[in-house]
Amino acid sequence: MVHADVEPEDGAKATVAPLPPSPPPPPPPKSAAVPAAPVNLSARFEDLFGKTLPIWAGGITLAIAGVLIVRYAIDLGFFARVFTPGVQVIAGTLFGLALIAGAEYAWRNQSRVRDVRVPQALSGAGIATLYAAIMVAANVYGLVGPLFAFVALALVTASALALSLRFGPPSALLGLAGGLAAPALVGALEPNVPLLAVYLALTIAAMTGVARTRRWPWLAIAALAGGAGWSLWMIFIGGALDAVGSLSIGAYVLLLGVAIPLFAYEGPRAALLRAAAAIVGALQLALLVAYAGFTPLHWGLFALLAAAGQWLAWRERSLAIVPTTSLALSILLMALWPDPAPFWLAAIGITLILTHASPLLMRLWDAPPDLRRTLELCLLALVLAPLAKWQMRAMSDELLALVALGGAVLPAIGIARGWRADGRVADSRFAWLSGTAAVLLALALGLVIPFWLLPAGIAAIAAALLLFGRAAADRRIEWVAAGLFGASLAALVATPRALDELPRLMSGAEDAIGDAFLRWAMLALVAIFFAWRAERPIVRRLAQAFAAALSYGAAAQLVPAEVLVLVPALIAAALLVAARRVPSARLDAGAATFAAISAAWAALPVAVWSGKALLSLGGMPMPVGGEALGAAELIRRLALPALLFGVPIWLLRDKLPRWVLAAALGAAGAIATIAVHAFYRLGFAAVVGGDFVATGIAQRLIWEALLVGAGWLLWRRGLRTGALALVIAGTAHAVYYGLVLHNPLWAEHAVGGWPLVNLLVPLFVLPWLGMRLAASWFAPASEVADRALQSLTMALVALFAWATLRQLFHGSLLVEPGVAPAENILRSLLILLLAIGFLLWGIRMHRRDWRITSLVLMLAAAGKVFLFDASGLEGLLRIGSFVALGFSLIGIGWLYSRQLAPSAAAAENDPA
């Protein structure tokens, strides 16, 4: 506690109240409650293996014991004499009843037993024992007839149902296990199939009834799975292959696959259970048909199950997989049927077609839309002809065409029923039906017309389908028609005649072949029809491309190669001219295709020229000539096509996108440039000669001047892109080939015998002129480009001066060996003069690059004089070298001190 006396302003003393005590700190949070430790592992083990499993295992053991008692009595001779068959059956029955009585006693005395699983186990064992006793009496000893056995089994089944409802799941499960295992445990390996089928059907029906009542889907699934296993076993043992056995197993499979699952379970997964059961039943009946030899009786059973599957799908949409599976099995079985009689093949085939197609056609356009039905109908229609041909290989083409037309009737009926259906154009079903019918019509037509006309027939049907799609207002059919036209193209190249027709695309025709021309021309006409009538832009453009290619193919069957090479360029030029009045979208793809064909013709000379040009980059001379680069080939393959394409494209420059215009003109210009270069080389060699040493520089200089001059002319006409490309190409050619690769200072090339009046001046001036011209077209030029131009200028001046000095002493060939003493002195003097000149120019133009280069040259001159001239010269020459160097150094220093004195103006005009 703190007290404080404070002196107030009026002088009176005031006492300040004590501060309140600070609150105590909050108590620490309580720790969360620690969960109880899990049950000990040993306790769990004891509970499972000491309390739970022994009871159920005991019930199963008792059930097996009840069955084995009867089996033991049979095998043991003493008991066989004492216990007659009747006594054995009665003993087994009494034992089963005693087990059930014990279960009831345990149920009524739960306070003593204290475990509900005991009555469950006893009741299950008793049920299984009663099943076994009745089966032994009927099948093994024949003590009772089928009717009595049926009644007894019905009573046991009813008892099992009642006990299962009383005692719960374990009793039902044990009863199911005993009931299904009884025929095997009593040794009924060759049973009476009808009686066994009735017994199994009753047992499984009882268990599924219990499953439905108590909502135990696992019990229904187990019962149906066990029943399916027994039906497979009965099929494989062979007893089910006679008439009565076949009917019994067929009825049994129908019950398991269709009837029983309908009442087995009504939960959220009931549809899945029913679909699985029906599919398993269909598979088993298909196996029965194949295993029994494809007899009409077994086919009838299978057709009955297929009809039941259709009824299931009609009743519940979620079971649609069932008829789909039966349809697939029908097709498979028809394909696997060995050597069927024509009558039975037709009868059973028609039966299956009606079984599957009738429900599909009746519900094809029902709401909501279901594509599955349409696809199944299309599949059924498409497989009829292949199956008929597979089973009857001797069938004539005319009869097979009728089968194909019969298959086309199915989708045709679907089309007719759906023509006025609401929302027909909103889904793809109509297109699927139309495509299937068109394919079958094409197949039928191909079977009756000559094989070489098959592509034309398919193309005609594709054109008709395109018109049908427009009439039906369904744009999806357009895709189907386009696909069918693609099939006609495949047929065109797949027929044997294509082996003779396709090579003519590259070599032309020596003689006109009318049939070949007709094949290609008919398809070209259909492609033109697609390009004209199709609504989708991509279909129109593809049709244009194919029309162009097919038109070229038709021409290739008539004209020789000399004329054929110009056909694509001529037609493309006509299309491009027509594009001035027709929308370009109607012609552009065709023109592009013809351009590609022309490019293919140009590929050989371009490849030969390019190969030689690549070799020239390494210094190898580039000879032009030969068959590929002859004058006639250059005109036909390069020059005329480039002209025929380039001129119309230039006339369309205002209608084409910039990138298309640039690409087209660039391609045409590149091909034209190759042709002009080849013509120039041929003409130069014819006029001047082909000596590479004597004429190489002149030949290159003229070509480079032509490029740069053409670029300047294009620039004057406003064609800046092409002008810049030509000037850059000419300049690069002059720099690389003239100054780097074939520079006369280190390459053997004649420059001329007259000093200063020779090829050195244009050799070094032309690159500078080209770079200067190109740089002037960029406004403003970048600093990097300007410095590059100044560096090139200095290099060109130095190289020109050096080459001129060399020419004064050695004449036309500058690479001749040896250096005269006077030439050596003049070299040093030349370096000094260049240094002085560069310095003066740098001072005048305020160019630091020139001044720096002058200093470098001065140092080089000094180094040359001190290191080489002083050691290699004698007398006056040595003195003269040093004198010249001295005065040069003094002069340079004087110039620097006089002209480059620090001033504000100089600092502003001298860039860093």
Side-chain angles (χ1 to χ4, degrees), residues 325-337:
T325 305
S326 64
L327 174 61
L329 290 174
S330 300
I331 296 172
L332 179 62
L333 288 175
M334 292 295 291
L336 296 177
W337 192 353

Side-chain angles (χ1 to χ4, degrees), residues 189-194 196-197 230-253 284-285 287-289 291-293 295 297-298 301:
L189 298 180
E190 296 182 0
N192 185 318
V193 171
L196 180 59
W230 271 111
S231 61
L232 286 176
W233 182 77
M234 284 188 288
I235 292 173
F236 283 121
I237 63 172
L241 302 183
D242 56 1
V244 178
S246 297
L247 290 174
S248 301
I249 192 61
Y252 172 69
V253 172
Q284 289 182 342
L285 281 185
L287 182 63
L288 177 63
V289 172
Y291 197 72
T295 63
L297 174 62
H298 300 93
L301 293 172

Side-chain angles (χ1 to χ4, degrees), residues 478-505:
E478 188 171 302
W479 289 116
V480 182
L484 196 61
F485 180 71
S488 70
L489 297 176
L492 179 68
V493 300
T495 51
R497 293 198 178 197
L499 297 177
D500 297 327
E501 296 168 358
L502 292 176
R504 298 192 190 107
L505 300 178

Side-chain angles (χ1 to χ4, degrees), residues 136-189:
V136 168
N139 279 355
V140 178
Y141 298 129
L143 297 178
V144 295
L147 180 60
F148 183 84
F150 174 79
V151 174
L153 290 173
L155 292 175
V156 175
T157 301
S159 302
L161 177 61
L163 293 174
S164 299
L165 295 174
R166 184 177 183 86
F167 296 124
S171 177
L173 181 61
L174 290 173
L176 175 64
L180 292 178
L185 293 176
V186 299
L189 298 180

Side-chain angles (χ1 to χ4, degrees), residues 277-663:
I279 291 173
V280 171
L283 290 171
Q284 289 182 342
L285 281 185
L287 182 63
L288 177 63
V289 172
Y291 197 72
F294 298 89
T295 63
L297 174 62
H298 300 93
W299 273 116
L301 293 172
F302 182 80
L304 185 61
L305 182 62
Q310 295 287 352
W311 176 78
L312 284 176
W314 189 291
R315 179 179 179 272
E316 189 171 352
R317 292 184 69 251
S318 58
L319 300 179
I321 188 64
V322 176
T324 303
T325 305
S326 64
L327 174 61
L329 290 174
S330 300
I331 296 172
L332 179 62
L333 288 175
M334 292 295 291
L336 296 177
W337 192 353
D339 299 327
F343 172 78
W344 286 113
L345 178 66
I348 294 172
I350 293 173
T351 301
L352 292 176
I353 292 171
L354 295 176
T355 301
H356 291 291
S358 299
L360 292 174
L361 289 172
M362 293 177 65
R363 302 193 65 187
L364 190 62
W365 298 101
D366 289 354
D370 188 358
L371 182 60
R372 178 197 58 82
R373 301 192 192 105
T374 302
L375 295 179
E376 288 185 16
L377 185 65
C378 293
L379 175 64
L380 182 60
L382 289 172
V383 300
L384 295 183
L387 278 178
K389 188 63 177 177
W390 172 259
Q391 292 293 357
M392 302 180 66
R393 292 175 175 82
M395 178 183 294
S396 64
D397 290 343
E398 290 76 10
L399 184 57
L400 187 60
L402 291 177
V403 175
L405 289 176
V409 171
L410 296 178
I413 295 174
I415 292 171
R417 295 194 71 248
W419 185 262
R420 299 184 181 276
D422 295 334
R424 170 178 59 79
V425 298
D427 57 61
S428 59
R429 292 176 295 173
F430 202 81
W432 280 101
L433 294 172
S434 302
T436 302
V439 168
L440 291 172
L441 288 176
L443 176 60
L445 182 62
L447 291 170
V448 296
I449 64 175
F451 191 60
W452 64 274
L453 276 178
L454 177 62
I458 299 175
I461 294 177
L465 187 61
L466 179 64
L467 290 178
F468 177 76
R470 291 176 64 90
D474 192 341
R475 296 185 65 188
R476 294 179 180 85
I477 298 179
E478 188 171 302
W479 289 116
V480 182
L484 196 61
F485 180 71
S488 70
L489 297 176
L492 179 68
V493 300
T495 51
R497 293 198 178 197
L499 297 177
D500 297 327
E501 296 168 358
L502 292 176
R504 298 192 190 107
L505 300 178
M506 297 177 290
S507 61
E510 297 180 0
D511 298 318
I513 295 108
D515 292 350
F517 171 77
L518 182 63
R519 280 161 46 89
W520 290 79
M522 291 182 67
L523 265 68
L525 291 175
V526 174
I528 293 172
F529 177 76
F530 267 81
W532 173 47
R533 300 291 292 176
E535 296 181 357
R536 298 181 183 273
I538 186 173
V539 176
R540 287 201 305 267
R541 281 185 163 83
L542 287 175
Q544 291 178 40
F546 284 116
L550 291 167
S551 300
Y552 170 78
Q557 314 305 317
L558 294 179
V559 298
E562 292 77 8
V563 180
L564 182 63
V565 66
L566 296 176
V567 167
L570 290 171
I571 301 178
L575 291 177
L576 291 173
V577 171
R580 301 181 66 182
R581 293 180 175 85
V582 179
S584 60
R586 292 288 183 177
L587 303 172
D588 52 3
T593 303
F594 282 121
I597 297 173
S598 290
W601 276 105
L604 179 60
V606 169
V608 174
W609 183 92
S610 300
K612 294 182 177 182
L614 289 175
L615 293 176
S616 71
L617 294 176
M620 183 177 295
M622 183 181 177
V624 177
E627 183 178 356
L629 295 178
E633 291 296 309
L634 290 173
I635 293 174
R636 285 196 299 264
R637 295 183 180 229
L638 300 182
L640 283 179
L643 183 64
L644 290 171
F645 276 103
V647 172
I649 290 173
W650 175 251
L651 295 176
L652 290 172
R653 62 187 181 278
D654 296 332
K655 299 182 64 175
L656 296 176
R658 291 184 60 87
W659 68 271
V660 174
L661 179 64

